[in-house]
Amino acid sequence: METAFQWNDSYSVKVSAMDAQHKRLFDIIRELYTAMRSGHGKDVAGGVLRRLIDYTVNHFAAEEKLMKEHGYPSLAAHCAEHRDLEATVVAFKKDFDEGSKAITPELMKFLQNWLTTHILTIDQKYSDFLNSRGVR
Ligand code: FEO
């Protein structure tokens, strides 16, 4: 399953700063998977989960700033997708902290599916638009 959390060229959005951030997201999700597999304590997994949420929120903010600066027409719909994921992972973290949810293969599958689907179907839509404005 580790290979499912590897960035590859098919995920490129043709904007180097965003590709770098997406690679980092894959790295953190892979780290979370490793923590889950190795049976690390809740504190370790909780720390990685916190970093994943923080990095995701920061990435979304950076991506939204870039799209806004260049007048990307689908900004609102894209932001709505971001808010949905943020709400889902923050709710999960709350349940995790309270002990009612654990990091499971199902959660890992959800994160991996969400990340890859979002990049392939939503993020990649801005590639040509931003490239045409000189953003690479
Ligand atoms: Fe790269 Fe829209 O998240």
Side-chain angles (χ1 to χ4, degrees), residues 22 25 59-60 63 67 78 82 114 118-119 122-123 126:
H22 290 152
L25 280 172
H59 165 62
F60 287 170
E63 197 173 72
M67 291 188 287
H78 197 140
H82 287 171
W114 188 90
H118 181 79
I119 291 173
I122 308 287
D123 285 352
Y126 62 57

Side-chain angles (χ1 to χ4, degrees), residues 27-46:
D27 287 346
I28 303 173
I29 290 178
R30 202 164 56 247
E31 207 181 322
L32 190 60
Y33 179 71
T34 303
M36 180 196 77
R37 281 279 305 268
S38 55
H40 277 316
K42 191 180 166 193
D43 51 337
V44 174

